[in-house]
Amino acid sequence: MNLGLVFEQGDGVLIAVFLALVLMSIITWVVIVLRGLKLWQAKRGNRQAHELIWSATDVGQAAAQARIVASPISDLTLAAVDAQQQYRRAHGQQLAAAVPLNDYLVRQIRNSMTQILRRFDGGLTALASIGATAPFIGLFGTVWGIYHALINISHSGQMSIAAVAGPIGEALVATAAGLFVAIPAVLAYNAFVRGNKTLAQDMDNFAHDLHVQLLNDKD
């Protein structure tokens, strides 16, 4: 099986199919490396920030500790503390603060969590799209290659097995290439969705505890 023959003997459509699959494969592995590294750093940072924040003696020190480590939990803590301070400054003067502190903190923490977790959705659409379409693109390349192989065989008048097996065998490579591209994309998509789900659960648990802490802070 010589892939070079595909580019030497294949027409523009078959070459375009293989180039598209190569591009999809590059995008898949770039997303896997970048998103995997970002998710790993976020979870490691969350563990460090969690220990630093809950070891603080008051809310002000907790905010200072949160600035030491860059992590989603740190960003959520700073946003929640800032919301608490804004409420106390603007209470009775702004519409946003014309609600009980409990409701105000819930709203601000929820909005902050949504913005923070949205950062980890990048690349998932690309992985899902590649995983869903790559096999069909490869199959299209195979069908197109077989069609042209049969057309060329009919023009040449050679119907031997050797004349048929070579061109069709090269065309079938497109299907294998499509699966080679799609399988890592699907596996990575499932892994990142699972990772984002566990990250959201950890953030939700921390946000609940932080909300209670800020609600009962009298300083």
Side-chain angles (χ1 to χ4, degrees):
M1 186 179 296
N2 187 359
L3 292 179
L5 294 178
V6 175
F7 294 94
E8 292 176 2
Q9 302 177 4
D11 63 349
V13 174
L14 189 59
I15 292 175
V17 166
F18 274 91
L19 291 178
L21 292 175
V22 170
L23 179 61
M24 286 182 173
S25 181
I26 293 174
I27 293 174
T28 296
W29 287 105
V30 168
V31 171
I32 289 174
V33 172
L34 294 181
R35 305 311 300 180
L37 181 61
K38 185 173 183 177
L39 189 60
W40 176 77
Q41 289 176 338
K43 292 188 175 183
R44 185 185 65 172
N46 277 351
R47 289 193 295 268
Q48 297 174 351
H50 189 277
E51 296 177 359
L52 290 173
I53 291 169
W54 292 123
S55 65
T57 57
D58 54 46
V59 173
Q61 186 180 3
Q65 297 280 62
R67 293 186 178 90
I68 297 176
V69 179
S71 70
I73 280 182
S74 298
D75 295 339
L76 181 61
T77 300
L78 294 175
V81 172
D82 184 63
Q84 181 201 44
Q85 295 173 352
Q86 287 182 356
Y87 179 87
R88 290 177 174 173
R89 290 193 301 265
H91 184 55
Q93 301 176 3
Q94 296 181 4
L95 178 63
V99 294
L101 177 60
N102 176 55
D103 297 335
Y104 184 80
L105 287 177
V106 168
R107 182 176 63 195
Q108 296 300 107
I109 290 175
R110 183 181 65 246
N111 292 339
S112 297
M113 277 189 58
T114 300
Q115 296 298 324
I116 292 170
L117 293 175
R118 190 174 295 171
R119 305 173 192 169
F120 297 89
D121 291 338
L124 293 182
T125 301
L127 291 178
S129 300
I130 291 172
T133 59
F136 296 103
I137 293 176
L139 182 60
F140 170 75
T142 295
V143 173
W144 186 267
I146 291 175
Y147 168 74
H148 275 271
L150 294 177
I151 291 297
N152 293 334
I153 291 171
S154 65
H155 288 168
S156 64
Q158 297 178 357
M159 299 300 296
S160 64
I161 295 298
V164 174
I168 292 181
E170 298 297 338
L172 290 174
V173 176
T175 298
L179 294 175
F180 178 79
V181 173
I183 291 174
V186 172
L187 294 178
Y189 175 82
N190 292 333
F192 289 142
V193 168
R194 173 61 181 171
N196 289 352
K197 183 178 180 180
T198 58
L199 178 63
Q201 291 173 344
D202 294 341
M203 293 283 291
D204 187 69
N205 293 335
F206 178 82
H208 175 76
D209 296 338
L210 181 63
H211 169 257
V212 173
Q213 186 68 39
L214 294 177
L215 192 61
N216 292 275
D217 179 51
K218 304 300 181 182
D219 295 336

